[in-house]
Amino acid sequence: MRIKNVSFKTKILLLVEVFFVASGLFVGTIFWQELSLKVREISRLRLMAIASTAAAMTDVYSHNFIQTQEDEDTDNYIAIQSVYKKILAANDGVDDIYTLRTTDDENTWIFVVGTLDTADRNGNGKIETEEERVAVGEEFDVSELPEIKKALSEPAADHEINCDKWGCWLSGYAPLVDKYGNTAAILGVDISADDILAYEKKMKILIGSLFISLILLLPIMLYLFMRVLLRPISEIVKGLNSFSQDLSSRIHIETGDEFEAIASTFNMMAMELERSYKGMEETVREKTKALAAKIEEIELEKVKDEALLASIGEGMIAVDSKGKIMMMNLQAGKLLGLEVSKAAGVFLEELIQIEDEQGNMIGKEKRPVYLSLLTGQKMVSSSFYYVRSDGYKFPVFLTAAPVKLKNKIIGSIVIFRDITEEKRIDVAKSNFVSLASHQLRTPLASISWYSEMLLDGEAGELREKQKKYLEKIVESQTKMEELVKELLNVSRIEMGTFIIDPKPISFSDIMEDVLGEFYLQLMEKKIKLAKKFPSRLPKIPADSQLVRIVFENLISNAIKYTPDEGTIEVEVSVSKKESLISARVSDSGYGIPKKQQHRIFTKLFRADNIIEKDVDGTGLGLYLVKSIVDNSGGSIEFSSEENKGSTFVVRYPLSGMKEKHGSKKLV
Amino acid sequence: MSKTAEKKKILIAEDDPSLREVLVEKFQGAGFEVYQAKNGAEGMDIAFSVHPDLIILDILMPKVDGLTMLSRLKEDVWGINVPVIILTNMSEYTYLEKALALGVDEYMIKSEWKLKNIVDRVRTILGVR
């Protein structure tokens, strides 16, 4: 609760003052009335005291002799009257002292003795006439003196002031008791009302002023008291306020009371708080410093990354999960003829068109970047063309890699480069291969066919020596043919343009086929062949042509490098546990020298021991085998000991080879 | 080599003279009526005028290449049914694929075939002995 800017202290004070003044007035009014009564009561008590004293001084017995007006002049009467007169003189303000007596009829009162003479009845010098005066023995009207009957047993006084034509008065009474204990008469005392009223007024003024000053003083005292109370409280409040802004501030109260205790407790608490806060501040400062250093580091990293991205030769475009461009590096802008700064926020497909070789536009859903966002897989392609902003089309090698954060795809990064030159070289290479293929093979075919004609005797019967020479020519031609074939395959492997076209095939069937091709050579060398093919082999997806080339080379080598009457073992097996299919070719041949075993799969390598033995070979076979196996998801290993033999094992997963698009099939 | 085989007409389209000559000689010797063309354009002229029983076709030839000639043949009412053997040194998969797509009876790599085997294959296709 808050009322403007009036402080709590002031509010309390105002409230208390209002309360005090109001209640003071209320109590004052009641007290005033009560006071009036009390002042009157004092007069009554005085009256009763005077009456009692007078009664005590009165000879009750002598009263009995005063019966009529005649008795007024008796000594007895005068004696009584003189006593009364003395008492009258002694008591200030007393107007009259008199005695009344009841007759036998208790309701009738008669006047007995009075202090007033006929001449001076009221003591004020006023002449009272004979008729007006109540005479001794005369009936006395007590109807206006209600308390008089009480006085039969004890002193009493009227409450109300009585008035007659001479003035106003208040009466008090006391009983006159005889020696038998009977009330013989009533002594009455009148006090002038003027005196009473003056007295009352004096008393009221005195007490009233005292009261009013009390009322007025109380709030001031209260205010002072409150100040004593409130000052420390406000000190505490002030202290708390300044503490909230300045932790080092303390409350200074030296009242020596609970306030001081509160203040010192607070100060201790504040000290603790300040200390722990400072500790915290220190920690925060350290953390902030570390954080700042980290931020700087990150920013540096960012600058480095940006510099890195800007300077890489590849174009790079980062898109968000919806395909909207977030960032494009300078190279990308350069390649595409776009302003890098304007790319951000634009959808990739709106900015960059992509076409295939034939010039068909690729739809959004077929673009590598969307496929990568959709599948979460990295997409690699070299068969697309980007269209520059001026319409120029160029082939790109592009990779679209999804960016994942906690398994959620948040975007994709496309890296691409212009492969116009590569394509050109590719075409040139391809042309060379065609050339080699065509131009080398054409004369080879010519040699082959003309030799065949000669050997068939189409040009007449040949002599034995001619026939022998011609056969040598054919033999060389065959080698040449093989060499060309291997060179072609190697170049295709190296260009990465060969196709892998997996179809379900049986490794043992192909092995059987290949062994069939080499039947004559096996026979010629009288080599013992051991085949181990399990009865039920699963068909696995593989490119039969590639498998054939691998097996052909391994068998051909085994035959070539095994002396006559040696042994060749061929085995195909499946390991379900490792999920592998293996083809093993072992021979009891010359083996490969330990020192050279590490070079066995390198191009054009030929082992020293083999060269000495002058066995044919190009040094391309195992290189080709290794390349094919490596490129199609398989593995090859070998073990060999010189003059004991060699073992080659080719392994493929049961899932087979992965499909690969390209332009050339190996032969 | 049967000299009694009825005279089947074959067309050999081959641009290399020495290869063409030896093929012609071999097939003539085998009793065929042989027509020869040194390029695709010539080959088509002969094919459409003579309507040979079988065509042996090289791929790389001047003027019109073998595959173009083949596709023209396949557009023709007669040509669509004539047996065609591709005899080439082009072992590229793309050529093989195109040739097979157009429809050929055999795709031979020259250096892999002996003349004798080629003749045998032709005889088999034509159903003659």
Side-chain angles (χ1 to χ4, degrees):
Chain A
M1 196 167 66
R2 197 165 288 241
I3 300 168
K4 287 179 186 170
N5 286 326
V6 181
S7 77
F8 180 71
K9 181 180 79 179
T10 316
K11 272 185 276 174
I12 288 284
L13 269 177
L14 271 170
L15 207 69
V16 168
E17 266 199 53
V18 167
F19 173 76
F20 266 98
V21 170
S23 62
L25 284 173
F26 177 70
V27 172
T29 311
I30 291 172
F31 188 76
W32 187 254
Q33 287 168 356
E34 203 58 31
L35 185 72
S36 303
L37 289 173
K38 284 287 166 202
V39 169
R40 180 68 50 85
E41 193 62 23
I42 289 165
S43 300
R44 286 180 69 227
L45 285 173
R46 188 167 166 244
L47 271 170
M48 284 188 271
I50 295 167
S52 300
T53 313
M57 289 169 76
T58 305
D59 178 11
V60 180
Y61 181 72
S62 50
H63 268 76
N64 294 332
F65 303 105
I66 302 162
Q67 299 289 338
T68 62
Q69 205 175 347
E70 284 77 41
D71 295 330
E72 250 184 88
D73 298 322
T74 62
D75 293 342
N76 187 33
Y77 184 90
I78 291 164
I80 295 168
Q81 192 184 46
S82 73
V83 171
Y84 288 175
K85 277 187 177 169
K86 276 178 194 158
I87 297 167
L88 189 82
N91 288 286
D92 211 24
V94 174
D95 271 356
D96 194 7
I97 296 176
Y98 51 91
T99 314
L100 300 172
R101 187 171 64 215
T102 51
T103 57
D104 298 337
D105 170 13
E106 284 196 359
N107 288 324
T108 313
W109 292 77
I110 54 164
F111 186 77
V112 183
V113 183
T115 51
L116 299 181
D117 295 325
T118 310
D120 186 18
R121 186 66 184 157
N122 61 1
N124 288 332
K126 285 184 181 173
I127 304 299
E128 200 174 291
T129 60
E130 197 69 22
E131 300 86 65
E132 285 163 341
R133 153 178 194 278
V134 181
V136 172
E138 213 172 304
E139 198 178 319
F140 195 85
D141 181 16
V142 296
S143 61
E144 307 233 328
L145 307 169
E147 295 292 314
I148 200 160
K149 279 181 182 165
K150 246 190 210 169
L152 289 170
S153 54
E154 57 182 1
D158 281 345
H159 292 283
E160 298 305 323
I161 288 168
N162 297 306
C163 290
D164 59 14
K165 60 181 175 188
W166 297 294
C168 294
W169 72 96
L170 190 69
S171 304
Y173 317 95
L176 291 174
V177 182
D178 63 17
K179 56 185 176 187
Y180 309 109
N182 297 319
T183 302
I186 300 289
L187 186 135
V189 179
D190 287 353
I191 294 175
S192 161
D194 294 343
D195 282 354
I196 290 172
L197 291 173
Y199 177 72
E200 279 182 7
K201 198 176 167 189
K202 215 160 79 186
M203 287 295 280
K204 278 178 184 172
I205 286 167
L206 188 74
I207 293 171
S209 62
L210 197 79
F211 191 79
I212 286 166
S213 61
L214 203 71
I215 287 179
L216 291 174
L217 269 172
L218 251 170
I220 294 164
M221 278 164 69
L222 196 85
Y223 172 74
L224 292 172
F225 175 70
M226 292 288 271
R227 272 196 61 155
V228 170
L229 251 169
L230 285 171
R231 191 186 293 131
I233 291 178
S234 76
E235 273 301 316
I236 290 172
V237 170
K238 220 157 60 186
L240 287 174
N241 274 336
S242 60
F243 180 72
S244 70
Q245 278 148 26
D246 174 17
L247 290 180
S248 65
S249 88
R250 297 287 180 270
I251 300 172
H252 302 289
I253 294 177
E254 283 168 13
T255 50
D257 56 10
E258 285 82 353
F259 288 115
E260 194 179 327
I262 289 174
S264 72
T265 310
F266 170 80
N267 286 343
M268 265 161 69
M269 192 185 78
M271 203 168 74
E272 281 298 319
L273 205 66
E274 190 186 1
R275 195 187 301 150
S276 70
Y277 189 79
K278 272 191 176 145
M280 207 159 75
E281 262 187 340
E282 192 60 34
T283 317
V284 167
R285 203 175 297 126
E286 274 168 23
K287 291 255 160 105
T288 309
K289 214 169 143 192
L291 200 66
K294 190 82 198 164
I295 287 170
E296 201 174 315
E297 200 178 294
I298 289 167
E299 273 175 356
L300 194 70
E301 208 62 40
K302 200 180 154 208
V303 168
K304 270 196 219 161
D305 286 350
E306 276 170 359
L308 210 68
L309 289 175
S311 56
I312 56 169
E314 266 89 359
M316 196 216 77
I317 302 168
V319 299
D320 66 11
S321 58
K322 300 225 163 56
K324 209 180 257 182
I325 296 170
M326 296 196 295
M327 187 240 170
M328 183 188 273
N329 77 346
L330 284 173
Q331 181 65 7
K334 211 167 127 191
L335 287 171
L336 294 161
L338 293 169
E339 244 180 88
V340 170
S341 57
K342 286 179 186 165
V346 183
F347 281 103
L348 185 65
E349 72 272 13
E350 286 170 7
L351 200 64
I352 304 155
Q353 286 199 0
I354 185 165
E355 289 181 358
D356 64 11
E357 200 165 0
Q358 284 75 42
N360 303 314
M361 211 173 100
I362 304 299
K364 179 185 164 183
E365 67 289 343
K366 282 184 183 163
R367 293 176 75 126
V369 66
Y370 284 95
L371 291 173
S372 77
L373 286 173
L374 196 71
T375 61
Q377 301 285 317
K378 184 170 155 185
M379 296 289 151
V380 179
S381 172
S382 55
S383 51
F384 291 123
Y385 287 73
Y386 270 165
V387 184
R388 216 160 63 183
S389 59
D390 60 4
Y392 172 79
K393 216 174 111 173
F394 62 98
V396 286
F397 174 82
L398 68 87
T399 310
V403 181
K404 290 179 189 174
L405 189 71
K406 286 174 183 165
N407 277 332
K408 203 177 157 229
I409 300 165
I410 57 162
S412 184
I413 290 181
V414 185
I415 305 267
F416 66 94
R417 64 171 199 272
D418 183 348
I419 51 166
T420 306
E421 191 62 13
E422 277 146 306
K423 282 255 168 176
R424 198 184 62 74
I425 291 168
D426 197 33
V427 169
K429 271 191 185 174
S430 190
N431 286 342
F432 169 76
V433 173
S434 289
L435 184 83
S437 162
H438 192 256
Q439 307 296 64
L440 286 177
R441 277 171 155 180
T442 302
L444 284 171
S446 186
I447 293 166
S448 164
W449 288 348
Y450 279 103
S451 303
E452 190 191 337
M453 293 291 267
L454 285 172
L455 285 169
D456 281 355
E458 299 273 345
E461 211 52 42
L462 294 181
R463 274 181 286 166
E464 212 43 48
K465 207 148 197 185
Q466 287 173 326
K467 214 170 182 178
K468 202 179 145 198
Y469 290 172
L470 206 51
E471 274 163 2
K472 285 284 171 201
I473 291 171
V474 171
E475 208 175 285
S476 294
Q477 188 274 341
T478 310
K479 275 182 202 166
M480 192 81 160
E481 184 66 42
E482 281 301 308
L483 189 59
V484 167
K485 198 166 140 182
E486 280 186 333
L487 276 171
L488 282 175
N489 281 341
V490 165
S491 74
R492 279 162 192 169
I493 287 270
E494 286 181 347
M495 282 197 295
T497 54
F498 73 107
I499 293 163
I500 301 176
D501 180 21
K503 301 253 163 63
I505 53 153
S506 157
F507 273 32
S508 55
D509 284 359
I510 292 174
M511 191 63 98
E512 287 280 18
D513 265 15
V514 172
L515 288 169
E517 284 171 24
F518 290 98
Y519 178 72
L520 271 174
Q521 294 170 48
L522 286 163
M523 290 291 285
E524 271 171 26
K525 290 185 90 172
K526 292 174 184 150
I527 286 170
K528 273 188 279 171
L529 178 69
K531 293 187 282 184
K532 277 170 138 182
F533 299 151
S535 54
R536 263 191 281 164
L537 264 178
K539 289 196 170 186
I540 69 156
D543 188 315
S544 60
Q545 189 57 28
L546 296 182
V547 174
R548 180 178 290 271
I549 293 168
V550 169
F551 289 176
E552 272 173 0
N553 275 285
L554 293 178
I555 301 280
S556 152
N557 279 351
I559 296 169
K560 252 188 243 172
Y561 306 123
T562 299
D564 288 1
E565 296 180 13
T567 312
I568 290 176
E569 254 181 56
V570 178
E571 183 186 21
V572 178
S573 62
V574 166
S575 161
K576 287 234 166 91
K577 202 172 133 198
E578 295 164 282
S579 205
L580 287 172
I581 184 162
S582 323
R584 178 174 66 86
V585 177
S586 304
D587 63 58
S588 62
Y590 310 124
I592 304 137
K594 262 243 140 52
K595 273 199 255 172
Q596 293 189 313
Q597 284 185 1
H598 66 282
R599 291 176 56 207
I600 181 168
F601 292 120
T602 52
K603 190 158 61 172
L604 302 171
F605 165 77
R606 301 208 64 216
D608 294 342
N609 58 337
I610 298 306
I611 293 169
E612 283 164 19
K613 291 194 174 66
D614 200 21
V615 177
D616 296 329
T618 57
L620 290 173
L622 282 177
Y623 170 71
L624 189 63
V625 165
K626 172 84 171 152
S627 301
I628 289 172
V629 171
D630 284 353
N631 280 296
S632 59
S635 69
I636 181 166
E637 64 177 53
F638 81 102
S639 59
S640 179
E641 204 174 320
E642 215 173 339
N643 297 320
K644 288 251 174 89
S646 305
T647 298
F648 286 84
V649 183
V650 174
R651 292 193 180 88
Y652 275 97
L654 287 176
S655 55
M657 294 180 180
K658 283 216 176 96
E659 192 173 353
K660 178 180 178 296
H661 295 291
S663 56
K664 317 282 182 337
K665 213 165 168 104
L666 299 190
V667 289
Chain B
M1 260 162 268
S2 168
K3 302 260 182 193
T4 60
E6 55 182 291
K7 287 268 183 183
K8 287 281 183 188
K9 292 182 274 184
I10 64 163
L11 167 64
I12 296 170
E14 167 62 62
D15 65 324
D16 186 272
S18 67
L19 293 184
R20 189 172 67 243
E21 271 169 34
V22 74
L23 283 167
V24 169
E25 205 169 313
K26 183 71 185 175
F27 275 94
Q28 280 173 342
F32 290 91
E33 188 181 335
V34 182
Y35 296 85
Q36 49 178 310
K38 50 186 185 294
N39 59 54
E42 221 177 274
M44 280 197 292
D45 285 348
I46 297 166
F48 290 128
S49 58
V50 176
H51 282 192
D53 298 301
L54 185 141
I55 300 168
I56 293 174
L57 198 56
D58 187 17
I59 290 181
L60 280 189
M61 288 189 296
K63 294 190 182 170
V64 174
D65 68 84
L67 289 178
T68 308
M69 180 178 155
L70 178 64
S71 66
R72 297 278 161 79
L73 281 173
K74 294 297 170 188
E75 285 163 11
D76 186 74
V77 196
W78 162 79
I80 196 161
N81 290 313
V82 68
V84 176
I85 289 176
I86 297 286
L87 185 61
T88 181
N89 271 328
M90 303 307 296
S91 57
E92 261 73 20
Y93 187 69
T94 44
Y95 290 108
L96 173 69
E97 216 175 22
K98 278 180 194 162
L100 291 176
L102 288 167
V104 293
D105 292 73
E106 191 70 66
Y107 190 97
M108 295 174 169
I109 305 295
K110 286 172 185 166
S111 56
E112 290 176 358
W113 287 74
K114 290 192 167 197
L115 288 172
K116 183 178 159 291
N117 297 338
I118 301 171
V119 174
D120 286 350
R121 186 78 191 110
V122 169
R123 283 200 170 119
T124 309
I125 292 169
L126 292 174
V128 294
R129 181 62 250 168

